Amino acid sequence: MSENQAPSSGSGRLNTGVAHNARVWNYWIGGKDNYEVDQAVGDQVAGMFPVIRDVARADREFLGRAVRHLVEERGVRQFLDIGTGLPTLDNTHEIAQRSAPDARIVYVDNDPIVLAHARTLLTSTPQGATDYIDADVHRPEGIIERASATLDLDRPVAVMMLGILNFVLDTAKAQDIVRQVLAAVPSGSYLVLTHPTTDPDLGGEGNVAAMKFWNENATPPITARTRAEVTAFFDGLEFLAPGLVSCTHWHPGTGSPVTVPQFGAVAVKP
């Protein structure tokens, strides 16, 4: 799909009777693309685990800091954003092209809600390019094949996997997805990742009951992972400082950021 081609409607797969992650997440960060059922489940989860709204905002802010760092400090000009979610203020291409108008971005999601709003993700500077691929993270080979129409896979690519691997319930499968995607990009490419955790050192104990409620009342099902499990996604890569931390602590701004139970890290492929 070219940057000027409108995506087809995904309404055939749309179920507005059950709370859905993309819409609930949108609700938590103050968006308007959600329904009463999403608000009800979102409020229930937030009542059980009040920090979840902070997690949602922190994840989004991490994206901005990571993209700016990679563009301005590392010279990255290509991004593959897998599991992009609903468009909001300062999407990946807007942040990247603000500093590098020639940046090229491919978004990937298979959510009909996101697909219906994907036109917002297809605005680009004349020098750069954007594309949207309706594809499933469980099939990385198809993602790579289609992304190569917009991205030059002989040049470094920043692979963005923010809050997406937690929907791949089998850890071995999630690790294999990361391996396949990173194998398709050259040395000097990056993995940018966030992931929820139940680790107590990040205050993640409250995630247990909240995720159980979510999995019984919303879709898609979700899982948290330990520090060791998340670290394993970066096998063969080299962490940028400060390594794997609460995403609020990755290159934070001024002040002392709150710790949230959401790991965040950026690593380079040697």
Side-chain angles (χ1 to χ4, degrees):
M1 181 168 62
S2 73
E3 62 191 15
N4 296 316
Q5 179 180 347
S8 60
S9 171
S11 60
R13 307 198 312 264
L14 186 61
N15 182 355
T16 60
V18 177
H20 191 282
N21 175 75
R23 299 191 309 253
V24 176
W25 196 261
N26 177 265
Y27 173 57
W28 282 333
I29 64 173
K32 304 298 183 184
D33 295 311
N34 50 76
Y35 299 96
E36 287 186 13
V37 65
D38 307 303
Q39 297 165 18
V41 169
D43 288 342
Q44 179 67 29
V45 171
M48 301 171 70
F49 192 44
V51 75
I52 191 61
R53 296 182 190 274
D54 294 328
V55 170
R57 289 189 291 267
D59 191 271
R60 192 72 193 177
E61 291 165 359
F62 168 86
L63 179 149
R65 297 196 304 276
V67 171
R68 283 191 294 273
H69 177 82
L70 291 175
V71 171
E72 296 172 5
E73 305 296 328
R74 303 279 171 164
V76 175
R77 295 296 182 267
Q78 300 191 110
F79 292 83
L80 178 57
D81 190 339
I82 302 175
T84 181
L86 279 164
T88 183
L89 181 66
D90 272 354
N91 300 292
T92 299
H93 74 283
E94 294 167 321
I95 299 167
Q97 292 180 345
R98 196 170 294 142
S99 298
D102 60 335
R104 305 177 75 84
I105 295 88
V106 172
Y107 294 101
V108 182
D109 213 304
N110 76 326
D111 187 328
I113 305 155
V114 180
L115 179 62
H117 291 79
R119 291 179 184 85
T120 305
L121 301 174
L122 297 176
T123 58
S124 175
T125 58
Q127 304 96 313
T130 61
D131 199 359
Y132 179 91
I133 298 173
D134 182 17
D136 190 336
V137 69
H138 291 86
R139 298 176 177 84
E141 64 284 350
I143 292 173
I144 292 300
E145 179 181 358
R146 295 174 64 186
S148 66
T150 300
L151 304 179
D152 179 355
L153 300 186
D154 291 325
R155 296 172 53 231
V157 176
V159 177
M160 315 281 290
M161 291 185 165
L162 274 63
I164 182 63
L165 294 176
N166 38 284
F167 297 111
V168 181
L169 302 186
D170 182 272
T171 297
K173 175 63 176 176
Q175 292 171 342
D176 187 56
I177 289 168
V178 175
R179 280 194 295 267
Q180 287 188 59
V181 175
L182 267 294
V185 296
S187 174
S189 294
Y190 294 84
L191 174 62
V192 184
L193 183 147
T194 62
H195 200 294
T197 185
T198 55
D199 277 14
D201 60 334
L202 268 64
E205 305 96 321
N207 255 331
V208 177
M211 285 188 175
K212 182 176 185 294
F213 174 84
W214 174 270
N215 289 343
E216 293 170 350
N217 294 275
T219 190
I222 190 171
T223 189
R225 291 189 168 96
T226 65
R227 178 181 291 275
E229 289 172 325
V230 176
T231 299
F233 291 132
F234 295 90
D235 283 353
L237 307 179
E238 298 174 358
F239 281 116
L240 303 189
L244 184 67
V245 293
S246 171
C247 65
T248 53
H249 292 275
W250 197 89
H251 292 237
T254 57
S256 300
V258 63
T259 298
V260 297
Q262 181 93 338
F263 283 121
V266 180
V268 63
K269 181 177 178 179

